[in-house]
Amino acid sequence: MPVAIITGASKGLGRALAGALAERGWDLVLDARTAKVLEESAEAARARGVRVVARAGDVTDTAHRRELVAAARELGGLDLLVNNAGILGAEPLPRLDSHSLDGFRAALEVNVVAPLGLLQEALPLLRTAPAGAVINLSSDAAVEAYRTWGAYGATKAALDQLSAVLAVEEPGLRVWWVDPGGMRTDMLAAAEPDEDLSGTPAPAEVAPVFLRLLDERPASGRYTAPALLEER
């Protein structure tokens, strides 16, 4: 069975994607900081008859990243790495003139440095996989100038560029950096607490986009969930 690592899998898109991959028979290594809710995601995936290893920890911790890759190796290898874990850096999001620099540094560490660190650990396994792939979660804030989203958007822009260079350096892999669009998540609610999210898609409605990438294996590049959904 193929094996995937998904970070930030305790809720939101990470949890929805874990369920969708488990439904297709993927074995999983799941990460999140809070053990209790992570185990709930793991149990939901195990109920579909696949092997699931849940490892609670912080993706900024080198030892934890190595633990995730070691768990994948024990499951037989690694076919897909999903760098989904992310933080805003400040909640609700402030203007740049008042954004905490410590918060910005924290967001850079989680949203950019940690994905690169996990990639470095995972690449030896991904290169030997029959169809190795990487998905890095982007945002429309990486390419659009939204008021108050400047610091978070800058981290996602950096992750986009990192992904683009990785795609050039690793032509044997598929590297997709994906803007999932607005989703009804705790993160979006925290970013803009006054926003009405009732009409915003739930993560489970967006997860099929990622399955489509795995099915069709388009060229490495940047994709948006809304565009992929419109093409269906």
Side-chain angles (χ1 to χ4, degrees):
M1 290 299 177
V3 178
I5 293 176
I6 305 174
T7 65
S10 63
K11 55 186 178 180
L13 181 62
R15 183 169 187 167
L17 189 55
L21 289 175
E23 190 68 36
R24 289 185 164 208
W26 283 67
D27 293 328
L28 302 171
V29 178
L30 304 182
D31 149 272
R33 288 176 293 182
T34 307
K36 182 178 179 181
V37 287
L38 176 61
E39 189 54 35
E40 291 173 359
S41 289
E43 280 300 315
R46 289 187 189 110
R48 294 170 167 90
V50 299
R51 298 178 296 170
V52 181
V53 177
R55 290 284 183 269
D58 191 328
V59 290
T60 65
D61 177 44
T62 301
H64 176 61
R65 295 195 297 263
R66 288 174 178 165
E67 184 182 31
L68 296 176
V69 175
R73 186 178 293 108
E74 290 178 4
L75 289 177
L78 181 63
D79 302 88
L80 172 64
L81 170 61
V82 182
N83 277 310
N84 171 67
I87 64 171
L88 293 168
E91 301 174 3
L93 290 174
R95 290 165 48 99
L96 286 174
D97 60 8
S98 58
H99 201 293
S100 160
L101 295 184
D102 286 342
F104 182 48
R105 291 189 187 96
L108 281 170
E109 192 69 30
V110 174
N111 300 347
V112 184
V113 179
L116 176 57
L118 189 51
L119 279 164
Q120 290 175 341
E121 293 290 340
L123 277 173
L125 289 181
L126 288 167
R127 287 169 180 150
T128 61
V134 177
I135 295 176
N136 289 330
L137 264 294
S138 185
S139 167
D140 53 352
V143 295
E144 299 288 344
Y146 298 125
R147 184 178 180 274
T148 75
W149 287 83
Y152 174 81
T155 69
K156 289 300 183 180
L159 184 61
D160 277 11
Q161 180 65 1
L162 184 152
S163 303
V165 173
L166 180 71
V168 172
E169 294 179 345
E170 300 288 342
L173 303 179
R174 287 291 190 273
V175 182
W176 302 303
W177 48 113
V178 184
D179 165 17
M183 294 184 292
R184 196 163 62 248
T185 61
D186 291 346
M187 175 180 279
L188 184 55
E192 300 194 59
D194 297 330
E195 184 173 344
D196 178 9
L197 302 182
S198 58
T200 306
E205 298 175 73
V206 179
V209 165
F210 295 86
L211 300 183
R212 181 177 171 185
L213 289 173
L214 294 170
D215 289 342
E216 300 179 4
R217 295 186 61 79
S220 296
R222 190 178 199 277
Y223 294 87
T224 71
L228 289 169
L229 286 169
E230 286 178 4
E231 294 173 4
R232 297 179 70 183

